[in-house]
């Protein structure tokens, strides 16, 4: 039985796995997404207020 001197090459880590393994990126996304959502929601609410006569 021949021995293989070359170890197998490690597979590259997929992008989404690297992204989900980063807790600081998840924290950033968890803060930024709701903030942007509520800011846009507020702008839409202000834009729909009728103009006073």
């Amino acid at each position: 039985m021949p021995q293989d001197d070359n170890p197998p090459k490690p597979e590259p880590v997929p992008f989404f796995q690297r992204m989900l393994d980063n807790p600081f990126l998840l924290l950033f996304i968890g803060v930024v997404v709701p903030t942007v959502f509520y800011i846009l929601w507020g702008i839409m609410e202000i834009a729909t207020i009728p103009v006073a006569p």
Side-chain angles (χ1 to χ4, degrees):
M1 188 157 91
Q3 291 184 350
D4 196 4
D5 291 337
N6 298 329
K9 293 170 65 174
E11 296 182 14
V13 179
F15 171 73
F16 282 109
Q17 183 176 350
R18 284 186 287 142
M19 185 177 75
L20 292 174
D21 284 342
N22 188 344
F24 295 108
L25 180 62
L26 292 176
L27 176 65
F28 177 76
I29 292 171
V31 171
V32 168
V33 169
T35 302
V36 170
F37 176 74
Y38 284 124
I39 288 173
L40 292 176
W41 187 7
I43 291 171
M44 288 172 41
E45 287 289 325
I46 291 172
T48 58
I49 296 175
V51 178

